[in-house]
CSV table of all heavy atoms in Angstrom, one decimal:
chain,number,residue,atom,x,y,z
Z,1,ALA,N,65.7,107.3,165.0
Z,1,ALA,CA,64.7,107.3,163.9
Z,1,ALA,C,63.3,107.1,164.5
Z,1,ALA,O,63.2,106.5,165.6
Z,1,ALA,CB,65.0,106.3,162.9
Z,2,GLN,N,62.3,107.6,163.9
Z,2,GLN,CA,60.9,107.4,164.3
Z,2,GLN,C,60.5,106.0,163.7
Z,2,GLN,O,61.0,105.6,162.7
Z,2,GLN,CB,60.0,108.5,163.8
Z,2,GLN,CG,60.2,109.8,164.4
Z,2,GLN,CD,59.7,109.9,165.8
Z,2,GLN,OE1,60.5,109.9,166.8
Z,2,GLN,NE2,58.4,109.8,166.0
Z,3,ALA,N,59.5,105.4,164.4
Z,3,ALA,CA,58.9,104.2,163.8
Z,3,ALA,C,58.4,104.5,162.4
Z,3,ALA,O,57.8,105.5,162.1
Z,3,ALA,CB,57.8,103.7,164.7
Z,4,GLY,N,58.8,103.6,161.5
Z,4,GLY,CA,58.4,103.8,160.1
Z,4,GLY,C,59.5,104.5,159.3
Z,4,GLY,O,59.4,104.6,158.0
Z,5,GLY,N,60.5,105.0,159.9
Z,5,GLY,CA,61.6,105.7,159.3
Z,5,GLY,C,62.7,104.8,158.8
Z,5,GLY,O,62.5,103.6,158.8
Z,6,SER,N,63.8,105.4,158.3
Z,6,SER,CA,64.9,104.6,157.7
Z,6,SER,C,66.2,105.1,158.2
Z,6,SER,O,66.4,106.2,158.6
Z,6,SER,CB,64.8,104.8,156.2
Z,6,SER,OG,63.6,104.3,155.6
Z,7,LEU,N,67.2,104.2,158.2
Z,7,LEU,CA,68.6,104.4,158.5
Z,7,LEU,C,69.4,103.6,157.6
Z,7,LEU,O,69.0,102.5,157.2
Z,7,LEU,CB,68.9,104.1,159.9
Z,7,LEU,CG,68.4,105.1,161.0
Z,7,LEU,CD1,68.7,104.5,162.4
Z,7,LEU,CD2,69.1,106.5,160.9
Z,8,ARG,N,70.6,104.0,157.2
Z,8,ARG,CA,71.5,103.2,156.4
Z,8,ARG,C,72.8,103.1,157.2
Z,8,ARG,O,73.5,104.1,157.5
Z,8,ARG,CB,71.7,103.9,155.1
Z,8,ARG,CG,72.6,103.1,154.1
Z,8,ARG,CD,72.7,103.8,152.8
Z,8,ARG,NE,73.6,103.2,151.8
Z,8,ARG,CZ,73.3,102.2,151.0
Z,8,ARG,NH1,72.0,101.7,151.0
Z,8,ARG,NH2,74.1,101.7,150.1
Z,9,LEU,N,73.2,101.9,157.5
Z,9,LEU,CA,74.5,101.6,158.2
Z,9,LEU,C,75.5,101.2,157.2
Z,9,LEU,O,75.2,100.6,156.1
Z,9,LEU,CB,74.3,100.5,159.2
Z,9,LEU,CG,73.1,100.7,160.2
Z,9,LEU,CD1,73.1,99.5,161.2
Z,9,LEU,CD2,73.2,102.0,160.9
Z,10,SER,N,76.8,101.5,157.5
Z,10,SER,CA,77.9,101.1,156.7
Z,10,SER,C,78.9,100.4,157.6
Z,10,SER,O,79.0,100.7,158.8
Z,10,SER,CB,78.6,102.4,156.0
Z,10,SER,OG,77.7,103.0,155.2
Z,11,CYS,N,79.7,99.5,157.0
Z,11,CYS,CA,80.7,98.8,157.6
Z,11,CYS,C,81.9,98.7,156.7
Z,11,CYS,O,81.8,98.1,155.7
Z,11,CYS,CB,80.3,97.5,158.1
Z,11,CYS,SG,81.6,96.5,158.9
Z,12,ALA,N,83.0,99.4,157.0
Z,12,ALA,CA,84.2,99.4,156.2
Z,12,ALA,C,85.3,98.5,156.9
Z,12,ALA,O,85.5,98.6,158.1
Z,12,ALA,CB,84.8,100.8,156.1
Z,13,ALA,N,85.8,97.6,156.1
Z,13,ALA,CA,86.8,96.6,156.6
Z,13,ALA,C,88.2,97.0,156.1
Z,13,ALA,O,88.3,97.4,154.9
Z,13,ALA,CB,86.5,95.2,156.2
Z,14,SER,N,89.2,96.9,156.9
Z,14,SER,CA,90.5,97.2,156.5
Z,14,SER,C,91.5,96.3,157.1
Z,14,SER,O,91.2,95.6,158.1
Z,14,SER,CB,90.9,98.7,156.8
Z,14,SER,OG,90.8,98.9,158.2
Z,15,GLY,N,92.7,96.2,156.6
Z,15,GLY,CA,93.7,95.3,157.1
Z,15,GLY,C,94.2,94.3,156.1
Z,15,GLY,O,93.4,93.8,155.3
Z,16,ARG,N,95.5,94.1,156.2
Z,16,ARG,CA,96.1,93.2,155.2
Z,16,ARG,C,95.5,91.7,155.2
Z,16,ARG,O,95.5,91.0,154.2
Z,16,ARG,CB,97.6,93.1,155.4
Z,16,ARG,CG,98.3,92.3,154.4
Z,16,ARG,CD,99.8,92.3,154.7
Z,16,ARG,NE,100.4,93.6,154.5
Z,16,ARG,CZ,101.6,93.9,154.7
Z,16,ARG,NH1,102.5,93.0,155.1
Z,16,ARG,NH2,102.1,95.2,154.6
Z,17,THR,N,95.1,91.3,156.4
Z,17,THR,CA,94.6,90.0,156.6
Z,17,THR,C,93.1,89.8,156.3
Z,17,THR,O,92.6,88.6,156.5
Z,17,THR,CB,94.9,89.5,158.0
Z,17,THR,OG1,94.2,90.3,158.9
Z,17,THR,CG2,96.4,89.5,158.3
Z,18,PHE,N,92.5,90.8,155.9
Z,18,PHE,CA,91.0,90.7,155.6
Z,18,PHE,C,90.8,89.8,154.4
Z,18,PHE,O,91.1,90.2,153.3
Z,18,PHE,CB,90.4,92.0,155.5
Z,18,PHE,CG,88.9,91.9,155.2
Z,18,PHE,CD1,88.0,91.6,156.3
Z,18,PHE,CD2,88.3,92.2,154.0
Z,18,PHE,CE1,86.7,91.5,156.0
Z,18,PHE,CE2,87.0,92.1,153.8
Z,18,PHE,CZ,86.1,91.7,154.8
Z,19,ASN,N,90.3,88.6,154.6
Z,19,ASN,CA,90.0,87.8,153.4
Z,19,ASN,C,88.7,87.0,153.7
Z,19,ASN,O,88.5,85.9,153.2
Z,19,ASN,CB,91.1,86.8,153.2
Z,19,ASN,CG,91.4,85.8,154.4
Z,19,ASN,OD1,90.8,86.0,155.5
Z,19,ASN,ND2,92.2,84.8,154.1
Z,20,SER,N,87.8,87.5,154.4
Z,20,SER,CA,86.5,86.9,154.7
Z,20,SER,C,85.7,86.7,153.4
Z,20,SER,O,85.7,87.6,152.5
Z,20,SER,CB,85.7,87.7,155.7
Z,20,SER,OG,86.4,87.8,156.9
Z,21,TYR,N,85.0,85.6,153.3
Z,21,TYR,CA,84.2,85.3,152.1
Z,21,TYR,C,82.8,86.0,152.2
Z,21,TYR,O,82.1,86.2,151.2
Z,21,TYR,CB,84.0,83.8,151.9
Z,21,TYR,CG,82.8,83.3,152.5
Z,21,TYR,CD1,81.6,83.0,151.6
Z,21,TYR,CD2,82.7,82.9,153.8
Z,21,TYR,CE1,80.5,82.5,152.2
Z,21,TYR,CE2,81.5,82.4,154.3
Z,21,TYR,CZ,80.4,82.2,153.5
Z,21,TYR,OH,79.3,81.6,154.0
Z,22,ALA,N,82.5,86.5,153.4
Z,22,ALA,CA,81.2,87.1,153.7
Z,22,ALA,C,81.3,88.0,154.9
Z,22,ALA,O,82.3,88.0,155.7
Z,22,ALA,CB,80.1,86.1,153.9
Z,23,MET,N,80.3,88.8,155.0
Z,23,MET,CA,80.2,89.7,156.2
Z,23,MET,C,78.8,89.7,156.7
Z,23,MET,O,77.8,89.7,155.9
Z,23,MET,CB,80.7,91.1,155.8
Z,23,MET,CG,80.7,92.1,157.0
Z,23,MET,SD,81.5,93.7,156.6
Z,23,MET,CE,83.2,93.1,156.4
Z,24,GLY,N,78.6,89.8,158.0
Z,24,GLY,CA,77.3,89.8,158.6
Z,24,GLY,C,77.1,91.0,159.5
Z,24,GLY,O,78.0,91.7,159.9
Z,25,TRP,N,75.8,91.2,159.7
Z,25,TRP,CA,75.3,92.3,160.6
Z,25,TRP,C,74.6,91.6,161.8
Z,25,TRP,O,73.8,90.7,161.5
Z,25,TRP,CB,74.4,93.3,160.0
Z,25,TRP,CG,75.1,94.3,159.1
Z,25,TRP,CD1,75.3,94.2,157.7
Z,25,TRP,CD2,75.6,95.5,159.5
Z,25,TRP,NE1,75.9,95.3,157.3
Z,25,TRP,CE2,76.2,96.1,158.4
Z,25,TRP,CE3,75.7,96.2,160.7
Z,25,TRP,CZ2,76.8,97.4,158.4
Z,25,TRP,CZ3,76.4,97.4,160.8
Z,25,TRP,CH2,76.9,98.0,159.6
Z,26,PHE,N,74.9,92.0,163.0
Z,26,PHE,CA,74.2,91.5,164.2
Z,26,PHE,C,73.7,92.7,165.0
Z,26,PHE,O,74.2,93.8,164.8
Z,26,PHE,CB,75.2,90.7,165.0
Z,26,PHE,CG,75.7,89.5,164.3
Z,26,PHE,CD1,76.7,89.6,163.4
Z,26,PHE,CD2,75.1,88.2,164.5
Z,26,PHE,CE1,77.2,88.5,162.7
Z,26,PHE,CE2,75.6,87.1,163.8
Z,26,PHE,CZ,76.6,87.2,162.9
Z,27,ARG,N,72.8,92.5,165.9
Z,27,ARG,CA,72.4,93.5,166.8
Z,27,ARG,C,72.1,93.0,168.1
Z,27,ARG,O,71.8,91.8,168.3
Z,27,ARG,CB,71.1,94.2,166.2
Z,27,ARG,CG,69.9,93.3,166.2
Z,27,ARG,CD,68.7,94.0,165.5
Z,27,ARG,NE,67.5,93.2,165.6
Z,27,ARG,CZ,66.4,93.5,164.8
Z,27,ARG,NH1,66.4,94.5,164.1
Z,27,ARG,NH2,65.3,92.7,164.9
Z,28,GLN,N,72.2,93.8,169.1
Z,28,GLN,CA,71.9,93.5,170.5
Z,28,GLN,C,70.9,94.4,171.1
Z,28,GLN,O,71.3,95.6,171.4
Z,28,GLN,CB,73.2,93.4,171.3
Z,28,GLN,CG,72.9,92.9,172.7
Z,28,GLN,CD,74.2,92.4,173.4
Z,28,GLN,OE1,75.3,92.7,172.9
Z,28,GLN,NE2,74.1,91.6,174.4
């Protein structure tokens, strides 16, 4: 993207044991 532009990220969770009360985004 150019400076000033936009992007939309998605995160899909799957698995029988998924029971998190929250989800976070991190970057490096």
Side-chain angles (χ1 to χ4, degrees):
Q2 292 287 109
S6 298
L7 288 171
R8 184 175 176 86
L9 307 183
S10 299
C11 176
S14 61
R16 182 180 299 179
T17 61
F18 182 71
N19 65 346
S20 299
Y21 95 100
M23 184 170 291
W25 284 94
F26 300 80
R27 69 187 181 190
Q28 187 160 15

